[in-house]
Amino acid sequence: MLDITMKESLTTREIKRQEAIYEMSRGEQDLIEDLKLARKAYHDPMLKLSIMSEEELTHIFGDLDSYIPLHEDLLTRIGEATKPDGTVEQIGHILVNWLPRLNAYRGYCSNQLAAKALLDQKKQDPRVQDFLQRCLESPFSRKLDLWSFLDIPRSRLVKYPLLLKEILKHTPKEHPDVQLLEDAISIIQGVLSDINLKKGESECQYYIDKLEYLDEKQRDPRIEASKVLLCHGELRSKSGHKLYIFLFQDILVLTRPVTRNERHSYQVYRQPIPVQELVLEDLQDGDVRMGGSFRGAFSNSEKAKNIFRIRFHDPSPGQSHTLQANDVFHKQQWFNCIRAAIAPFRSAGSPPELQGLPELHEECEGNHPSARKLPAQRRASTVSSVTQVEVDENTYKCGSGMEMAEDSKSLKTHQTQPGIRRARDKARSGGKRKETLV
């Protein structure tokens, strides 16, 4: 920490710069302590008491121990550059040399989804649940559960760009650190992008492996070849049944969640729809009644809200699905995500009945590395029936951070969108139930 007497001789800007550097160092120290705590308070006792097997613990904790020396090294380098008065004259060269080593987290972050699933499964064991609850109630846990400790490295990774920008913000333009800090920011953004891409591919494969086919005709090579999962989550059919939908980059798969022998999987429902053959239709509230009756029919069933329909472009398969989202916010998320997937396959040669329709203007900016391969220009057209519009997907959260975190009860989508934010704010002001977008 800065010597109090030295603070008086520094400019306000330099004080803030030094405080930003100290904040980075303090965060590294906290991370190291938490990583050690996760091992000492959770991993080792559960192994010693045979609460979990070594294989299970390895799957959940990964190579957590191996990252401690990595962060200790950064602390050591900063310490060596720190003067007796507590100030650090230059830090840019340290960060430029050290940040590329964070690529070591690619495997750990890619395994998080499977690790979380296994941990949740093991929590059904009374011994595991009792041990974790005792830990949670102990002072050392700070009221954080085990997963919060396991997720700390990811949380730390997404903070680096902000920490670096804060140091740069308070660095004079003539300071030799300026260019180096700008280089460091580019490096960490590249590292996060690489980790995010790897994590996205891993998540995609995780769900592909969970699919169960009732008929071999449901299998499609585009599913197995998928590297990007644009969005996925729960929707309801017109009859009110819960469906879990996966939108891969080239194909949409409807499933029914099933559990057998504590193993969760997704049973493919009817025929997957290739994105290039997919038609998206917007339905107004009340156009369909729950239970299958259309507007105007004599029925006491509730009029459905937040609904849309997906179907094959070619009507010959005779497959159409009317789907209902939890609220207008999640309907808009699904709508935009599906439109983004459809857009590259739509050209000026669209069928006459789809041309000359008014535009929708909701957009989101794509940051997903794989998504950048999508064409830069997209055509958009819609009415209340057939819709083909543009929206790009994105796997980031928290600026340049990685979208890797919490579960959403309705939809996990790799998007952040100005239009959706407005819909979300409107829902909040109207007292609607809020859910986390991931």
Side-chain angles (χ1 to χ4, degrees):
M1 191 66 178
L2 280 176
D3 187 289
I4 296 178
T5 57
M6 287 303 301
K7 274 193 172 185
E8 297 177 356
S9 64
L10 299 175
T11 65
T12 300
R13 186 173 191 178
E14 182 59 27
I15 290 174
K16 290 184 176 180
R17 170 180 155 85
Q18 294 300 326
E19 288 177 342
I21 294 174
Y22 175 78
E23 179 67 22
M24 170 172 279
S25 298
R26 181 67 258 180
E28 292 300 301
Q29 185 62 54
D30 291 342
L31 173 62
I32 292 168
E33 292 174 1
D34 285 336
L35 293 179
K36 291 180 177 179
L37 181 62
R39 177 79 182 195
K40 180 179 179 180
Y42 289 96
H43 179 282
D44 292 350
M46 284 194 287
L47 180 61
K48 185 176 182 180
L49 298 172
S50 299
I51 293 176
M52 286 194 204
S53 69
E54 185 173 1
E55 181 181 356
E56 291 170 334
L57 289 170
T58 299
H59 191 74
I60 292 173
F61 283 80
D63 298 325
L64 215 54
D65 283 354
S66 66
Y67 306 120
I68 294 175
L70 172 63
H71 295 279
E72 287 178 334
D73 179 55
L74 177 59
L75 273 183
T76 299
R77 296 187 190 197
I78 295 177
E80 291 172 350
T82 302
K83 297 180 179 179
D85 60 14
T87 62
V88 178
E89 179 64 28
Q90 295 185 38
I91 194 174
H93 64 291
I94 295 174
L95 297 171
V96 166
N97 291 327
W98 181 81
L99 286 169
R101 297 177 60 189
L102 291 176
N103 273 305
Y105 275 105
R106 277 186 295 187
Y108 182 81
C109 292
S110 296
N111 185 58
Q112 276 196 302
L113 183 63
K116 180 68 162 58
L118 177 58
L119 178 60
D120 289 342
Q121 178 185 330
K122 295 301 297 182
K123 284 181 180 179
Q124 306 305 313
D125 183 334
R127 292 189 67 206
V128 174
Q129 183 59 40
D130 179 68
F131 176 84
L132 295 179
Q133 185 60 36
R134 288 174 183 271
C135 290
L136 186 62
E137 294 170 357
S138 299
F140 73 79
S141 73
R142 308 194 303 275
K143 302 300 180 182
L144 298 175
D145 62 13
L146 173 56
W147 184 252
S148 296
F149 282 99
L150 296 176
D151 193 48
I152 283 174
R154 181 204 62 82
S155 300
R156 181 64 180 171
L157 286 173
V158 300
K159 288 179 182 176
Y160 282 117
L162 299 177
L163 292 169
L164 297 182
K165 289 176 182 178
E166 185 65 16
I167 297 173
L168 178 61
K169 176 182 176 182
H170 301 295
T171 300
K173 293 183 179 179
E174 65 278 6
H175 197 289
D177 259 357
V178 170
Q179 183 60 54
L180 289 170
L181 286 171
E182 290 176 349
D183 293 343
I185 292 171
S186 297
I187 290 171
I188 187 58
Q189 288 175 339
V191 169
L192 294 182
S193 179
D194 289 343
I195 293 176
N196 211 33
L197 176 60
K198 183 69 175 177
K199 182 264 174 187
E201 292 177 353
S202 177
E203 179 184 23
C204 186
Q205 189 59 51
Y206 173 83
Y207 285 112
I208 290 174
D209 293 341
K210 293 278 185 182
L211 297 179
E212 291 185 359
Y213 299 91
L214 296 176
D215 190 324
E216 284 300 310
K217 294 180 180 179
Q218 294 176 319
R219 293 185 181 273
D220 190 299
R222 280 165 287 206
I223 297 176
E224 293 297 329
S226 295
K227 296 295 184 182
V228 179
L229 180 57
L230 301 181
C231 57
H232 59 101
E234 184 181 286
L235 293 170
R236 288 186 179 272
S237 66
K238 190 170 66 174
S239 58
H241 294 125
K242 292 182 180 180
L243 297 175
Y244 202 92
I245 318 299
F246 296 97
L247 178 61
F248 299 101
Q249 76 266 29
D250 292 323
I251 194 164
L252 184 144
V253 183
L254 296 91
T255 71
R256 288 172 170 164
V258 294
T259 302
R260 297 189 185 90
N261 299 323
E262 299 184 351
R263 181 183 182 275
H264 301 289
S265 59
Y266 300 89
Q267 193 176 82
V268 176
Y269 173 67
R270 301 185 71 178
Q271 194 67 23
I273 307 176
V275 169
Q276 65 187 47
E277 301 175 37
L278 178 62
V279 173
L280 173 65
E281 302 180 35
D282 186 13
L283 300 177
Q284 300 303 306
D285 291 351
D287 276 357
V288 175
R289 294 178 183 271
M290 296 306 290
S293 299
F294 285 88
R295 182 173 52 192
F298 296 98
S299 172
N300 293 323
S301 56
E302 180 184 356
K303 290 184 177 180
K305 296 181 179 180
N306 311 312
I307 52 176
F308 60 94
R309 181 178 292 129
I310 55 174
R311 62 177 175 83
F312 277 93
H313 183 269
D314 181 358
S316 59
Q319 184 174 333
S320 174
H321 303 277
T322 299
L323 303 171
Q324 181 182 36
N326 283 348
D327 51 39
V328 64
F329 174 44
H330 285 98
K331 173 187 174 179
Q332 191 66 56
Q333 288 179 300
W334 273 107
F335 219 64
N336 287 347
C337 196
I338 295 174
R339 290 189 313 218
I342 291 175
F345 298 99
R346 301 298 187 256
S347 64
S350 297
E353 66 271 17
L354 303 184
Q355 297 180 2
L357 302 178
E359 290 187 357
L360 286 183
H361 299 288
E362 296 87 356
E363 296 181 353
C364 70
E365 297 179 5
N367 291 323
H368 191 291
S370 298
R372 296 192 185 111
K373 298 178 182 178
L374 297 178
Q377 297 183 348
R378 311 272 180 88
R379 297 187 70 253
S381 58
T382 186
V383 287
S384 62
S385 56
V386 180
T387 308
Q388 306 162 348
V389 191
E390 94 174 84
V391 175
D392 288 330
E393 67 284 351
N394 140 6
T395 57
Y396 286 179
K397 188 178 180 179
C398 303
S400 63
M402 301 178 298
E403 186 278 333
M404 296 187 180
E406 320 299 331
D407 289 331
S408 167
K409 294 180 181 178
S410 177
L411 168 66
K412 292 186 72 178
T413 176
H414 309 299
Q415 304 175 341
T416 51
Q417 309 163 355
I420 287 182
R421 291 195 193 99
R422 291 193 294 271
R424 175 174 57 199
D425 294 340
K426 183 177 180 181
R428 284 177 175 170
S429 63
K432 301 285 187 180
R433 176 171 58 83
K434 294 184 289 184
E435 297 190 42
T436 302
L437 166 63
V438 179

